[in-house]
């Protein structure tokens, strides 16, 4: 490849429609070949179906820790969104680069890849690792088998930089997430005889009302952490379906809910509370009418929150790279909590803003992309210093 600018590479990456429901292998193959052209070997970690893969590569010495540059390759769908530009072809207008994933987060990946020749040319005292994952957008799923392998290795990285869009402001924390599905099995009958059936929708409504009560309790001032917005853990039901006809008492209903949990709060407490309420208050009433009715909770996905201490070495290095110690938090989740659980301190800093992420006409500015290039240049300088 002749052109290795971050913009040229972003154009290539946007051309791969790596929506989470589809394969990312074409994009991974492109990145693998690009790294190979610069003499960098990489490892691929496939999913069970071998339709998707994580990519991990190391530049520099392999007998010590180093810095991980982490990003996800998948993007959210464009279905039903009113785009005015082609979402999977990069376009530029008034200093903005448009396309699905430009902000979240192929802009960062492009800057990292553009920096590869620089990292290769330097005599690095510490290695830089590239960790590109799949299925982040559906619960940080793909990175887990890669992390499981890294945990077995003797030289653990000293820092992971997650390049999610923060407008290149230093971020040390975010909430965790638990996504659950609740299945309610009632008993159907003609609506004229409703008391002889068990209305699954109405019992689901009681459960949803219970979630609202739990959410109000979590919002009490004693549970606040003012570093976050909103400053408390939140609960919300987002999807529901049930019933077949108005004149039939519904036999089935299911709804999905999520908990966005402050670091240090176990989101499973919400599910446990809901289960206790169901067993104590609802199931006895349901089974008094029909013994084979039930309520079942199913975990869909989860990832932990992140709260890297501001006095940590990881935070100090982030200050060096960003030129700012005005640490913040973000409302969205990242893979940072999983890296932290694996013993690799994590921070978040990347080009663009999540205000544009997941929306039609998503963009990152050219200025932000160049600023990310400059940040990676500072990282290369740091990794090259003999007295750092």
């Amino acid at each position: 490849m002749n052109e290795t600018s971050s913009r040229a590479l972003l154009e290539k990456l946007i051309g791969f429609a790596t929506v989470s429901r589809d394969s990312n292998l074409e994009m991974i193959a492109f990145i693998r070949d690009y790294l190979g052209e610069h003499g960098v070997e990489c490892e691929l970690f496939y999913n069970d179906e071998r339709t998707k893969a994580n990519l991990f590569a190391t530049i520099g010495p392999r007998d010590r820790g180093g810095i991980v540059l982490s990003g996800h390759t998948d993007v959210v769908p464009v279905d039903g969104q009113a785009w005015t530009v082609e979402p999977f072809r990069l376009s530029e207008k008034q200093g903005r680069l448009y396309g699905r994933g430009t902000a979240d987060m192929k802009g960062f990946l492009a800057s990292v890849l553009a920096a590869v020749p620089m990292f290769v040319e330097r005599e690095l005292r510490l290695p830089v690792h590239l960790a590109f994952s799949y299925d982040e957008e559906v619960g940080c799923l793909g990175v887990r088998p890669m992390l499981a392998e890294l945990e077995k290795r003797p030289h653990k990285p000293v820092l992971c930089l997650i390049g999610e869009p923060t407008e290149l402001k230093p971020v040390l924390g975010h909430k965790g997430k638990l996504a659950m599905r609740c299945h309610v099995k009632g008993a159907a009958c003609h609506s004229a005889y409703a008391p002889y059936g068990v209305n699954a929708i109405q019992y689901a409504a009681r459960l949803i009302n219970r979630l609202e009560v739990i959410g109000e309790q979590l919002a009490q001032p004693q549970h606040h952490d003012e570093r976050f917005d909103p400053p408390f853990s939140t609960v919300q039901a987002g999807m529901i379906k049930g019933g077949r006809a108005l004149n039939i008492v519904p036999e089935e209903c299911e709804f999905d809910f999520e908990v966005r949990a402050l670091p240090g709060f176990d989101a499973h407490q919400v599910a446990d509370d809901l289960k206790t309420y169901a067993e104590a208050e609802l199931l006895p009433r349901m089974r008094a009418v029909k013994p084979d009715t039930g309520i079942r909770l199913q975990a869909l996905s989860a990832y932990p929150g992140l709260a890297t201490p501001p006095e940590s070495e990881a935070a100090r290095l982030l200050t060096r790279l960003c030129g700012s110690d005005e640490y913040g938090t973000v409302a969205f989740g990242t893979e940072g909590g999983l890296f932290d659980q694996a013993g690799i301190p994590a921070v978040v800093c990347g080009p663009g803003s999540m205000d544009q992420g997941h929306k039609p006409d998503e963009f990152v500015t050219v200025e932000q992309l160049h600023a990310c290039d400059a940040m990676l240049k500072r990282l290369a300088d740091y990794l090259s210093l003999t007295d750092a």
Side-chain angles (χ1 to χ4, degrees), residues 59-328:
I59 303 171
R62 295 176 177 269
D63 60 348
R64 60 203 75 177
I67 310 296
V68 178
L69 300 177
S70 173
H72 60 85
T73 60
D74 60 319
V75 297
V76 297
V78 300
D79 309 49
Q81 293 187 334
W83 284 74
T84 64
V85 296
E86 169 57 48
F88 296 109
R89 186 175 67 210
L90 192 71
S91 56
E92 182 174 354
K93 184 178 181 180
Q94 296 179 335
R96 295 176 175 181
L97 300 170
Y98 291 91
R100 172 56 87 222
T102 47
D104 184 21
M105 56 179 297
K106 292 182 178 179
F108 177 74
L109 299 185
S111 282
V112 170
L113 293 175
V116 164
M118 173 180 61
F119 287 129
V120 169
E121 291 169 3
R122 297 292 189 96
E123 187 174 341
L124 302 180
R125 62 183 179 86
L126 291 173
V128 60
H129 309 283
L130 312 186
F132 298 164
S133 63
Y134 64 85
D135 281 2
E136 188 272 350
E137 296 288 6
V138 290
C140 298
L141 302 182
V143 73
R144 297 168 197 254
M146 180 163 57
L147 280 174
E149 177 60 32
L150 296 183
E151 284 189 87
K152 301 174 187 177
R153 300 186 177 181
H155 305 291
K156 190 169 290 187
V158 297
L159 171 70
C160 175
L161 174 62
I162 311 282
E164 292 276 8
T166 68
E167 297 180 304
L168 294 170
K169 297 173 183 176
V171 166
L172 299 183
H174 63 72
K175 294 179 181 179
K177 178 182 174 180
L178 172 67
M180 301 286 295
R181 177 165 293 158
C182 181
H183 303 264
V184 181
K185 182 180 184 297
C189 68
H190 194 291
S191 62
Y193 302 97
Y196 303 126
V198 177
N199 190 311
I201 290 177
Q202 291 180 350
Y203 276 97
R206 291 188 174 111
L207 290 161
I208 292 171
N209 285 339
R210 179 63 184 177
L211 288 175
E212 185 176 8
V213 171
I214 296 170
E216 290 171 351
Q217 293 169 348
L218 293 175
Q220 294 299 307
Q222 64 268 30
H223 302 305
H224 283 200
D225 185 334
E226 299 299 335
R227 296 175 299 172
F228 294 86
D229 180 21
F232 47 85
S233 301
T234 59
V235 185
Q236 72 106 21
M239 296 179 66
I240 186 169
K241 64 179 180 180
R244 296 187 180 277
L246 185 58
N247 60 356
I248 302 174
V249 171
E251 182 178 16
E252 300 284 345
C253 184
E254 68 178 34
F255 64 90
D256 295 353
F257 67 94
E258 70 168 20
V259 185
R260 297 279 180 166
L262 291 171
F265 174 69
D266 184 0
H268 289 89
Q269 292 182 32
V270 174
D272 291 343
D273 186 306
L274 193 67
K275 182 179 179 182
T276 299
Y277 171 73
E279 292 175 347
E281 300 291 334
L282 303 186
L283 285 174
R285 299 181 194 177
M286 296 167 64
R287 288 172 176 168
V289 180
K290 292 289 182 180
D292 63 345
T293 55
I295 296 171
R296 179 171 59 89
L297 293 178
Q298 173 192 358
L300 299 177
S301 65
Y303 57 75
L306 177 68
T308 299
E311 67 278 6
S312 65
E313 182 181 348
R316 289 195 297 271
L317 177 54
L318 185 59
T319 294
R320 185 170 188 158
L321 298 180
C322 295
S324 171
D325 61 0
E326 294 183 7
Y327 306 122

